């Protein structure tokens, strides 16, 4: 349900209000409480099925709610990139990666290795802002305890470095 609601809210700015109004007429229906929970949790800033599923996973494994689509800049104000998820207090960026992300970045004359190289440089620049970076891929969604362990380890590394949140 979250995946569908995220996509609807992303494509239509009025969808949330319309869905809530419709749900209000169905308060006594079976499943209305669950539908309300889905609508409350959904966020149109999730840009893919994988990102939506990650957010549900984060909630289910007890991670804090991340900020979505946070932009990061160099000290000179140049955009480094935008993260899928940002855990500000823990200074940790989360990225959901599917193979399609890299293929989508591939121009007609691009070398696939060049696309990967650009993403590596982007990740290095994000780390240089004082943040940890954790990547999640499709198969990880079936291993929630591993995902949790990787994020908790990143949170711990960030605390050990003692960066102040800007």
């Amino acid at each position: 349900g979250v995946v569908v609601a995220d996509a609807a809210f992303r494509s239509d700015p009025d969808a949330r209000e319309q869905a809530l109004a419709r749900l209000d007429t169905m308060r006594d229906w079976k499943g209305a409480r669950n539908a309300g929970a889905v609508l409350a949790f959904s966020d149109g800033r999730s840009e893919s099925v994988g990102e939506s599923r990650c957010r549900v996973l984060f909630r289910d494994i007890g991670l804090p709610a991340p900020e979505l689509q946070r932009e990061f800049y160099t000290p000179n104000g140049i955009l480094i990139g935008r993260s899928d998820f940002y855990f500000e207090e823990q200074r940790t960026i989360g990225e959901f990666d599917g193979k399609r992300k890299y293929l989508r970045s591939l121009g007609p004359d691009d070398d696939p290795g060049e696309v990967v190289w650009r993403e590596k440089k982007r990740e290095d620049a994000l780390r240089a802002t004082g943040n940890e970076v954790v990547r999640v891929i499709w198969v990880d969604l079936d291993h929630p305890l591993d995902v949790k362990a990787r994020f908790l380890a990143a949170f711990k590394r960030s605390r050990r470095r003692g960066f102040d949140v800007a």
Side-chain angles (χ1 to χ4, degrees), residues 43-108:
D43 191 317
R45 293 174 298 167
S46 274
E47 295 182 336
S48 70
V49 171
E51 288 181 28
S52 296
R53 289 193 53 201
C54 265
R55 288 182 34 254
V56 172
L57 176 68
F58 295 158
R59 184 206 57 208
D60 290 351
I61 61 178
L63 294 182
E67 179 182 343
L68 304 182
Q69 308 310 326
R70 170 75 171 266
E71 292 182 342
F72 293 88
Y73 295 87
T74 67
N76 298 329
I78 298 168
L79 179 67
I80 297 168
R82 199 169 40 130
S83 66
D84 297 332
F85 314 105
Y86 186 52
F87 299 89
E88 184 171 20
E89 187 176 321
Q90 296 80 10
R91 297 293 304 237
T92 300
I93 293 168
E95 293 284 302
F96 180 81
D97 288 336
K99 201 181 236 184
R100 183 173 279 164
K101 172 182 176 176
Y102 294 98
L103 296 176
R104 176 174 69 225
S105 301
L106 196 59

Side-chain angles (χ1 to χ4, degrees), residues 89 91 127-132 157-166:
E89 187 176 321
R91 297 293 304 237
R127 287 183 196 280
T129 65
N131 290 290
E132 292 290 324
R157 285 191 306 272
S158 180
R159 274 194 314 275
R160 252 194 333 259
R161 282 198 322 264
F163 285 105
D164 292 326
V165 175

Side-chain angles (χ1 to χ4, degrees), residues 98-154:
K99 201 181 236 184
R100 183 173 279 164
K101 172 182 176 176
Y102 294 98
L103 296 176
R104 176 174 69 225
S105 301
L106 196 59
D109 298 322
D110 281 347
D111 169 15
E114 186 61 32
V115 173
V116 173
W117 180 248
R118 283 193 303 259
E119 183 61 19
K120 183 217 179 298
K121 291 190 323 188
R122 176 183 165 274
E123 182 173 325
D124 288 347
L126 288 170
R127 287 183 196 280
T129 65
N131 290 290
E132 292 290 324
V133 177
V134 177
R135 292 188 175 272
V136 178
I137 60 174
W138 283 106
V139 70
D140 295 333
L141 297 174
D142 294 327
H143 303 281
L145 296 180
D146 292 341
V147 171
K148 183 175 185 176
R150 288 175 28 225
F151 274 93
L152 292 179

